[in-house]
Amino acid sequence: MSVRTSEDIQRWLVERVAGFLELTPTDIDVRAPFQHYGLDSMEQLRVIGELETWLQRELDETLLRQYPTIESVAAFLSKAA
């Protein structure tokens, strides 16, 4: 398992969320709540599943509700590694 920095995780999440929403990464504000972008629960679970694969570790399915912004998810995951 490789260690990912907060910046790595943030970058990955920005690219994934932008891809889901058919936006460019520059359209994504890492401090805006996921709800702001209208990600439904199925899309959130998909993001978490892909993030688990990328990080090579299991994540709680409520992660995006517990940490409602890209910035907060990245900070939590980089410290919890």
Side-chain angles (χ1 to χ4, degrees):
M1 176 169 72
S2 61
V3 176
R4 307 286 185 168
T5 66
S6 180
E7 292 79 17
D8 293 335
I9 296 167
Q10 218 171 256
R11 190 175 317 109
W12 187 92
L13 282 166
V14 165
E15 290 174 11
R16 292 308 303 142
V17 170
F20 275 110
L21 302 173
E22 298 180 1
L23 299 171
T24 64
T26 57
D27 292 326
I28 303 298
D29 178 354
V30 298
R31 292 186 179 113
F34 289 104
Q35 288 180 335
H36 172 78
Y37 294 106
L39 286 178
D40 66 29
S41 59
M42 291 305 291
E43 290 167 324
Q44 288 183 20
L45 287 174
R46 190 168 160 207
V47 168
I48 292 167
E50 291 180 13
L51 185 56
E52 283 181 326
T53 300
W54 184 68
L55 292 172
Q56 300 178 333
R57 64 189 251 214
E58 192 172 325
L59 301 172
D60 190 299
E61 65 183 29
T62 64
L63 178 70
L64 302 188
R65 288 193 300 274
Q66 293 175 31
Y67 300 92
T69 67
I70 289 174
E71 184 177 63
S72 64
V73 168
F76 168 73
L77 291 175
S78 65
K79 290 178 183 147

